[in-house]
Amino acid sequence: MFTGFTDETVDFMWGIRFNNERAWFEAHKETYLNHFYRPMQALGAEIYGFIRDKRPDYDLIHKVTRIYRDARRLHGRGPYKESLWFSVEEPSEQWTAKPTFWFELMPESWTYGMGYYLPKALTMAKLRARLDRDPKAMEALSRALGKQEEFRLETEAYKRPKGPAPSPLLEPWYQAKSFVICHEEKLAEDLFSRAIVDRLKRGYEFLLPYYDYFVTLDGDPDPRERECVKTR
């Protein structure tokens, strides 16, 4: 059971930022395991259980990232990450191609939410086709998002507009190449007790209807096939 992160957790994150080398990490490995990795595992397992119980029909898994960076992609950085995160998602060859719940702890702040990082272009085309076909469902979700203060929508838009959205409310979604619905703030007392568990559960429960909406997109018809029929 997760009982909270500790001052040692924060000290380790700052320590690895300024001492990103094998010798320092090995000397502090027990601190990493006991105050960072294992608490993150416990928190991830608890949140995974909560989401799985809410959506038992989904084939969900959860992962905790490794602290070791890919040696092929260091690009002048040290071999260790200074943050850890867990995710809850459906299995996929490319995890960024499906909607994902996450929580991440960093030296200065923490963040959590749900979204896509690298959805397939076809997935977003299916989103636009669904918005055209049935705008009311996402309009309701957009209004609910606008009425609360925990999460904000962040999108990366295509360089070229994808055409007019069915309504102004849907414009950010219609032009999105990728998106996240996220919350980020400075380190707070909640993180050092079980209070963060209750807060994350409330947040993820709010996000579940958005996950329900997006996780089914891959099952929608290919809008390109409809275009082919029109041009015949």
Side-chain angles (χ1 to χ4, degrees), residues 40-200:
M40 187 67 74
Q41 275 189 316
L43 180 59
E46 196 161 348
I47 295 302
Y48 166 69
F50 171 78
I51 296 176
R52 183 192 57 197
D53 289 346
K54 292 289 183 179
R55 295 295 188 273
D57 293 336
Y58 290 157
D59 182 23
L60 297 173
I61 60 173
H62 88 286
K63 303 176 183 178
V64 177
T65 185
R66 289 162 46 89
I67 196 170
Y68 307 97
R69 287 196 174 111
D70 187 334
R72 299 167 298 177
R73 298 179 175 86
L74 293 181
H75 304 301
R77 300 175 296 178
Y80 305 103
K81 302 167 188 171
E82 61 187 39
S83 67
L84 284 183
W85 62 88
F86 70 76
S87 62
V88 179
E89 64 206 271
E90 287 191 339
S92 174
E93 292 182 3
Q94 182 183 3
W95 73 269
T96 54
K98 285 184 175 287
T100 300
F101 296 101
W102 85 90
F103 167 90
E104 182 176 7
L105 184 61
M106 299 163 280
E108 305 98 335
S109 61
W110 64 279
T111 181
Y112 79 115
M114 187 280 298
Y116 287 97
Y117 282 96
L118 292 172
K120 298 175 183 177
L122 177 57
T123 300
M124 301 312 283
K126 289 181 177 182
L127 171 61
R128 293 189 296 276
R130 185 185 287 189
L131 295 176
D132 287 331
R133 186 170 62 249
D134 178 22
K136 291 184 178 180
M138 179 50 73
E139 285 176 341
L141 290 173
S142 297
R143 282 192 290 269
L145 188 61
K147 291 177 181 177
Q148 54 79 58
E149 297 181 352
E150 180 77 353
F151 297 105
R152 69 180 185 276
L153 173 65
E154 294 184 357
T155 66
E156 178 188 359
Y158 285 98
K159 292 182 179 179
R160 295 183 178 181
K162 292 296 182 177
S167 69
L169 195 60
L170 299 180
E171 189 68 24
W173 302 104
Y174 206 84
Q175 308 303 339
K177 183 178 181 181
S178 64
F179 76 88
V180 293
I181 305 171
C182 63
H183 174 88
E184 182 173 355
E185 67 176 79
K186 300 295 184 182
L187 300 187
E189 288 300 317
D190 284 0
L191 294 166
F192 301 93
S193 72
R194 283 194 56 79
I196 193 63
V197 178
D198 293 333
R199 182 168 178 185
L200 293 180

Side-chain angles (χ1 to χ4, degrees), residues 12 16 19-33 67-68 79-80:
F12 176 83
I16 201 69
N19 304 276
N20 204 310
E21 56 190 31
R22 180 179 174 83
W24 189 93
F25 176 77
E26 290 298 329
H28 296 82
K29 190 170 183 178
E30 288 304 309
T31 300
Y32 160 70
L33 291 173
I67 196 170
Y68 307 97
Y80 305 103

Side-chain angles (χ1 to χ4, degrees), residues 218-232:
D218 286 343
D220 280 8
D222 188 334
R224 297 172 301 184
E225 296 177 359
R226 184 179 177 184
E227 290 298 321
C228 290
V229 172
K230 285 183 179 179
T231 57
R232 288 177 184 173

